[in-house]
Amino acid sequence: MLLLMAAALGLASAAVAAAGAAGAVIAHSDPLQSPQWAWIHKELLQSGPVVFDSRVRVTGPAFAEDPMRVPIAFDASALGEVDRIVVAVDRNPIREVLAFEPLRVRPSLSFRFKLEQASPVRVAARTRDGTWHVGSVLVNAGGGGCTVPGATRRDGSWSRTLNRVDARVFPGFGGAAARVRLRVMHPMDTGLAAGIPAFHIETLVLADAARQPLLRLTLHEPVAENPIFSFDLRDAVPPGMTVAGHDNNGNRIAARVSP
């Protein structure tokens, strides 16, 4: 029994050392000491194994000048194979922002989101062994990003452009084959502004001509109005790329993405 315990301790020590050498910290407690982290770990990461890992690079502003459109970018390429990424905001009334499956694209993404108050922003990337690697950034804000209507809702223009897709393909950089920039026109209502029910895009799938998916996005209410996503293809641009999806009212999204 003592030998087995010693072996187990040795393996655990080796795991901690390996994680530390790779820039990761075994998650016994949240380094940002946020009381909401326990909920995120349980509900969004299903209480899976977690390390706080500097290899998940997250960039955002120190202060959100526009809490309706806070820019955020992340890159988990240093982890190797990643099958799912979850973005959450601890102190938003709706904490889950999006989930990203980078099937044939790099595990990196930039977009904008709504921020209700100063909060940690989490990016959790799951590797093939089931471990969540978490990067974070603190963003300060004046507040109110989730509880006021967006610009197109206020002026009524949202209905004229609903689910229109604009897409562009740019030369890649940093080893990527190409960068794709995708915008979908949608008010992305949170349901928290008086008299306006929740109305948001739920799914987006980028696929090749054979309808094989390149990426999947599951979106939630805190994604910014008329969302714009930028991501990098691993391989050459496939001909006949399309984007498809739907919102929570059943409205369909469908468009071709041209190089």
Side-chain angles (χ1 to χ4, degrees):
M1 179 63 73
L2 289 174
L3 288 174
L4 287 174
M5 290 177 63
L9 288 171
L11 288 172
S13 298
V16 171
V25 178
I26 301 297
H28 297 298
S29 61
D30 173 26
L32 298 180
Q33 299 182 345
S34 168
Q36 291 82 19
W37 164 249
W39 184 93
I40 291 172
H41 184 208
K42 179 182 178 183
E43 299 297 329
L44 303 187
L45 308 185
Q46 293 80 52
S47 299
V50 167
V51 294
F52 293 102
D53 198 331
S54 61
R55 292 175 296 173
V56 180
R57 295 190 290 112
V58 187
T59 56
F63 183 85
E65 295 183 3
D66 181 358
M68 299 286 290
R69 300 183 59 81
V70 182
I72 196 78
F74 62 81
D75 188 346
S77 301
L79 298 176
E81 290 295 321
V82 171
D83 64 7
R84 185 174 178 83
I85 298 173
V86 171
V87 180
V89 179
D90 289 36
R91 302 189 69 188
N92 263 3
I94 302 170
R95 293 177 184 144
E96 189 170 14
V97 179
L98 62 77
F100 172 40
E101 295 176 58
L103 303 171
R104 291 160 57 193
V105 301
R106 293 176 64 174
S108 61
L109 188 70
S110 63
F111 66 100
R112 294 175 185 266
F113 70 99
K114 308 180 192 83
L115 183 64
E116 184 65 15
Q117 58 184 305
S119 177
V121 180
R122 314 282 188 171
V123 176
R126 187 175 67 189
T127 48
R128 296 293 183 182
D129 64 357
T131 300
W132 292 97
H133 300 257
V134 179
S136 305
V137 64
L138 279 169
V139 181
N140 204 348
C146 294
T147 52
V148 295
T152 60
R153 177 63 72 179
R154 292 195 300 271
D155 65 20
S157 63
W158 66 270
S159 61
R160 298 192 296 272
T161 59
L162 182 67
N163 289 343
R164 188 181 73 196
V165 177
D166 298 309
R168 291 189 63 186
V169 181
F170 300 91
F173 61 93
R179 168 154 287 196
V180 179
R181 184 173 180 267
L182 183 69
R183 181 179 69 172
V184 184
M185 303 298 289
H186 202 284
M188 298 298 291
D189 298 312
T190 63
L192 302 176
I196 302 174
F199 182 41
H200 63 95
I201 300 169
E202 290 188 323
T203 64
L204 289 174
V205 179
L206 183 75
D208 61 19
R211 297 186 178 180
Q212 296 301 306
L214 303 170
L215 66 83
R216 293 191 187 96
L217 282 167
T218 302
L219 309 183
H220 298 276
E221 295 92 323
V223 173
E225 176 184 32
N226 300 331
I228 299 174
F229 303 99
S230 296
F231 47 86
D232 297 311
L233 301 180
R234 289 177 176 169
D235 303 313
V237 179
M241 281 193 301
T242 59
V243 61
H246 60 82
D247 63 28
N248 67 325
N249 279 7
N251 298 301
R252 296 291 171 178
I253 299 162
R256 185 176 295 274
V257 179
S258 301

